[in-house]
Amino acid sequence: MSYLLIFLSFLLFTHTSKPHPNHSLSVSVTGSVKLPADQLNFNINMNAEGKTPQAAYNMHKKREKVLVNLLDKFNIQDKNIHYEPVSISKRVSRSNNQSDTTYITQQNVQLVLTDFNAFEQIQIGLIQHHFDNFNAQFTSSQIEKGENEALKAAIRKAHQKAKLIADQAGVKLGAVQNIHYQTEHNISPGVNFKAVRSTSSNMLKYQQTITVSANISIDYCIVEKR
């Protein structure tokens, strides 16, 4: 009889301490860190027009040479230059029963700049040579590190929040069932520069920051306390 009682007690303990498959706690939190904005993503859209494809292409090559000279002048490294091939399209406009055909080139060039003074000078050089379609955004060289730190912060917050809820509800946290997460970074919006900016009041001297966030959702098993 005593062995039967011990066996039944063991079964009761096992049953009450195991998490029920339908008993779970879901916690969603956000962790974030701030990073120094030590880089600029500089996007330049080169285009040219001509009455023939060759005329448009020749004009485009002249503007491309201007940009290449600026990049060489400020020693922009190859790894910080990204570009797309040149494309040419035809545009037909009609007026007074007459049509006019123009050929247009398009090419996007993306630069990563760490020297903000170079950014100012390249910008001025572009404007002087009739470039009018470019913009820049602040970013950080530490984005990947920031994402990892934001995830760690979010996980710590999730565990703390889940433990607080479980303690107040009189239950224990069991194993983690599911984890879902997403990271994002809030970069300052691009600003279009259409005119030469005054060097006597340069806003780039003020330190900017990038906020990197991690949204995480964790599902915990719930174990009832004996």
Side-chain angles (χ1 to χ4, degrees), residues 41-45 119 123 127 131-137 188-197:
N41 284 340
F42 193 10
N43 301 305
I44 304 167
N45 292 308
F119 162 69
Q123 174 194 170
I127 293 172
F131 285 73
D132 61 1
N133 191 355
F134 51 91
N135 62 79
Q137 291 180 321
S188 303
V191 179
N192 289 316
F193 299 98
K194 299 294 186 181
V196 177
R197 290 162 38 139

Side-chain angles (χ1 to χ4, degrees), residues 149-163:
E149 292 302 317
L151 271 173
K152 291 177 183 178
I155 292 172
R156 287 194 298 269
K157 288 176 64 176
H159 287 332
Q160 292 170 359
K161 187 174 182 180
K163 188 175 185 308

Side-chain angles (χ1 to χ4, degrees), residues 187-206:
I187 296 178
S188 303
V191 179
N192 289 316
F193 299 98
K194 299 294 186 181
V196 177
R197 290 162 38 139
S198 171
T199 56
S200 62
S201 58
N202 193 336
M203 292 297 292
L204 292 178
K205 70 179 182 179
Y206 299 112

Side-chain angles (χ1 to χ4, degrees), residues 34-51:
K34 289 188 179 296
L35 304 174
D38 58 357
Q39 292 182 342
L40 279 169
N41 284 340
F42 193 10
N43 301 305
I44 304 167
N45 292 308
M46 284 196 298
N47 53 70
E49 296 184 11
K51 291 299 183 180

Side-chain angles (χ1 to χ4, degrees), residues 7 9 13 18 22-23 41 44 93 98 122 125 129 135 137-138 160 175 199 214:
F7 178 72
S9 298
F13 173 80
K18 287 181 60 177
N22 295 326
H23 294 171
N41 284 340
I44 304 167
S93 59
Q98 293 183 342
I122 293 173
H129 289 86
N135 62 79
Q137 291 180 321
F138 286 111
Q160 292 170 359
T199 56

